[in-house]
Each structure stands twice: as structure tokens, then as C-alpha cells.
Amino acid sequence: MSLEHRCADLHLHTYFSDGTYSPEELVAQAQRQDLQALALTDHDTVEGCAPTAAACDRLGIEFIAGTELTAEQDGHEIHILGYGIDLENPRFLTEIGKFQAVRQNRIREMVQRLNQLNVPLQAEKVFALANCRAPGRPHVARALVQAGLVGSLDEAFERFLKKNRPAWVPKFKMSAREATQLIHESGGVAVMAHPGLNRSDEGIPIMVEGGLDGIECFHTKHSAAISEHYLQMAARYQLLVTGGSDCHGLSKGRPLIGSVRLAYEHVEKLKARAAERRAATARHIPA
Ligand code: AMP
Ligand code: ZN
Ligand code: FE
Ligand code: FE
């Protein structure tokens, strides 16, 4: 494989958040798609990183540790991808532990609301199905379908779980700046996920000021024109360029892995920045 043709998918989920693939299935799919590198970016957790790294090792695929943090900018939810994080960093683990506790309490609250609407779902059913530290609305939707309380995942969201529907509960979010700082302090690189899904670009200069390293120009839901728009923005603000499919396995229709193929040169730049961040955090560790 010549250097120029190597490709990566830097936005992937497993069943450690709301994807359906195990790490082993995900990596097997990556091999089938002829990807040379991948990053795991489960929501608010890094639990899946060790098994995914091991699976990548077995198949000779390069692995980059990652996560997708839920954050907020100007009242809008945005997602910040963190790459190359030190998975043992105590502060990082404490902070995402808080996110996870909030997510678990939120499940209980959503179930309570459903019960008040005479939908007899049990929180334990959701936790058993989710079987991970970062459960979310997709797991509630799946549990509702499994219990025969709704006919489909879409129905679950439309009737109950979408924003401002009766069982919707807002999610705790840190500010984009806090998420960026947390990623930096953990030796990682902070990248704004799928900017094309946001309502506006207004927050981007503010996030750049807050230390944002990169922007996800290539994403399943970005048209060629949108990708081009964010490539220009990356050039203007000197941001790293990343891309990924945001594959959730089978939970959102067809598996998307391999449908967005990031040229490897961007992975190299990302790795170089991560190495700088790691070196900077190492210098700050008190003797
Ligand atoms: P949460 O992090 O718990 O708020 O859940 C967010 C997840 O729910 C994301 O993966 C979304 O893609 C998914 N989601 C949000 N709205 C819908 C919807 N209308 N139908 C299906 N999935 C949705
Ligand atoms: Zn997701
Ligand atoms: Fe996202
Ligand atoms: Fe994602």
C-alpha cells in the first residue's frame, strides 16, 4: 500500500456507546473496507478503546484512541472529538465519570416520564440492553421497541424522545472551551465534530480562541459543498482537517464505516499535534 492511498475513518462508535458493533466486529469491518487506520469515538466514554486497540493490533490496522464529548456553545449542543488522549489520565477519567453518572440518571428520569405517560418501561431494562457506561436515548428507544411499547425506533423518538417531546430530558453539557481544555490536559487533540449539522458557524471562531485544534470537514452528512466550505474554514483558522463516517453499526440503517475515507496525510498531521500535546502535558506533571 503506497503512502498516498492509505485511508482512515476517524469517527466510529461501538456498543460501548450507542453503536451496535463490538470492537472486534468494527475492526473486521474496517479491514473489509480496506482502511489502514481508525479512531474510536464513542460518546462520553473511552471504555471501548482497549479492546478496539487489541483488535486493530491483530489485524495490522493503526488505532487512534478517541472519544466524542457532548458540549455546548451558545446554547447549542455540539460534539467535540478528542484524539490521542492518555486513557489513564486521572482527571479525564474523573470528568467523564461525571458525564456517565449524569447519563445514567437521565435514563431514570426519561423512564419516569414514560411511566407517567402510562408507558410501563423499566429503567433496568434500558440498562441491561445498553450494557455500557454512557447510555442514551437510542438505548431507551431500543428498549421501547423490544418491550413492544412502540413499533419502531423512529416512533420512539417522534412520540417521546425528540427534543421537547414528553419524555425528553436535556443532557448535561460542559462548554466547548471546557471540553477542549479537558482533552488538552489529557494529552489529546480537540476537533469539532460534524460542523455541517450545526445551525451556524458563529461559534467556530470562539472555539478556535478556546484552543480548538481541528474541524471534521468530511462526514457522512456533509455534501461535497459543505466539506469544501469547512476545508476553507480549516485553512482560514489553521485547523487540522479530519473526517469519518460516524458509523453506529446497524442502529441507524446501513453501516457507514468506509463511506468516508480520510486521506492518511491528515492522520499524520493529527498524530504530530497529539505528540505535541502529550509532550506539553508531560512537562506540566509536577515532580
Ligand atoms: P443522546 O446522546 O442520549 O441525547 O442521544 C443522541 C443520539 O440519539 C444520537 O446518536 C442521535 O443520532 C440519536 N437520535 C437523535 N434524534 C433521533 C431521531 N429522531 N431518530 C433516531 N435517532 C435519533
Ligand atoms: Zn451516537
Ligand atoms: Fe456526534
Ligand atoms: Fe458520533
Side-chain angles (χ1 to χ4, degrees), residues 18 43 103 106 136-138 154 157 162 171 248 252:
D18 55 353
H43 301 279
R103 275 183 172 274
R106 176 174 173 247
R137 285 180 290 162
D154 271 348
F157 273 93
K162 260 169 86 163
K171 202 165 30 172
H248 283 70
K252 295 187 182 177

Side-chain angles (χ1 to χ4, degrees), residues 11 13 17-19 41-43 68 79 138 246-248 251-252:
H11 193 151
H13 297 270
S17 67
D18 55 353
T41 54
D42 275 318
H43 301 279
E68 183 173 13
H79 294 170
D246 210 351
C247 178
H248 283 70
S251 71
K252 295 187 182 177

Side-chain angles (χ1 to χ4, degrees), residues 144-188:
L144 283 167
V145 173
Q146 208 174 66
L149 295 165
V150 297
S152 68
L153 297 175
D154 271 348
E155 186 188 337
F157 273 93
E158 284 304 324
R159 280 178 62 194
F160 302 118
L161 301 172
K162 260 169 86 163
K163 188 170 178 182
N164 298 326
R165 293 290 146 93
W168 174 72
V169 175
K171 202 165 30 172
F172 163 80
K173 308 171 194 78
M174 45 170 75
S175 71
R177 184 181 280 264
E178 285 168 326
T180 301
Q181 276 171 358
L182 177 61
I183 290 166
H184 286 172
E185 284 169 28
S186 318

Side-chain angles (χ1 to χ4, degrees), residues 45-287:
T45 186
V46 289
E47 260 183 293
C49 284
T52 305
C56 278
D57 221 32
R58 287 193 288 273
L59 296 184
I61 293 174
E62 183 175 357
F63 175 73
I64 295 166
T67 187
E68 183 173 13
L69 296 182
T70 311
E72 184 171 40
Q73 177 66 47
D74 300 323
H76 297 294
E77 179 167 327
I78 57 149
H79 294 170
I80 307 268
L81 299 159
Y83 292 112
I85 288 160
D86 167 12
L87 299 175
E88 319 260 282
N89 183 289
R91 165 130 197 271
F92 182 75
L93 294 175
T94 305
E95 289 302 317
I96 63 163
K98 287 187 209 163
F99 266 105
Q100 292 163 2
V102 169
R103 275 183 172 274
Q104 290 158 21
N105 290 333
R106 176 174 173 247
I107 298 288
R108 290 195 188 87
E109 227 178 298
M110 287 195 277
V111 167
Q112 248 172 24
R113 291 193 188 200
L114 286 165
N115 294 164
Q116 281 158 7
L117 297 161
N118 295 319
V119 180
L121 185 71
Q122 293 163 321
E124 295 324 311
K125 288 272 187 322
V126 183
F127 290 125
L129 176 148
N131 193 27
C132 71
R133 292 184 196 171
R137 285 180 290 162
H139 300 113
V140 178
R142 276 185 231 160
L144 283 167
V145 173
Q146 208 174 66
L149 295 165
V150 297
S152 68
L153 297 175
D154 271 348
E155 186 188 337
F157 273 93
E158 284 304 324
R159 280 178 62 194
F160 302 118
L161 301 172
K162 260 169 86 163
K163 188 170 178 182
N164 298 326
R165 293 290 146 93
W168 174 72
V169 175
K171 202 165 30 172
F172 163 80
K173 308 171 194 78
M174 45 170 75
S175 71
R177 184 181 280 264
E178 285 168 326
T180 301
Q181 276 171 358
L182 177 61
I183 290 166
H184 286 172
E185 284 169 28
S186 318
V189 172
V191 174
M192 184 191 187
H194 43 63
L197 302 191
N198 286 48
R199 237 165 286 177
S200 83
D201 293 343
E202 263 172 45
I204 294 176
I206 301 165
M207 287 193 278
V208 171
E209 197 149 303
L212 190 74
D213 296 286
I215 191 162
E216 189 176 51
C217 295
F218 303 103
H219 183 271
T220 304
K221 293 200 172 153
H222 287 182
S223 64
I226 300 258
S227 294
E228 183 53 39
H229 169 74
Y230 288 108
L231 285 168
Q232 285 174 18
M233 196 156 270
R236 184 179 332 148
Y237 292 108
Q238 294 182 298
L239 293 167
L240 296 166
V241 169
T242 73
S245 65
D246 210 351
C247 178
H248 283 70
L250 302 168
S251 71
K252 295 187 182 177
R254 80 191 166 92
L256 296 167
I257 183 168
S259 61
V260 172
R261 308 179 72 85
L262 184 72
Y264 193 76
E265 60 178 293
H266 298 299
V267 178
E268 283 185 326
K269 289 178 188 159
L270 180 74
K271 279 163 54 183
R273 180 70 61 88
E276 285 169 25
R277 293 267 177 231
R278 277 287 184 109
T281 52
R283 279 197 297 277
H284 289 142
I285 291 172

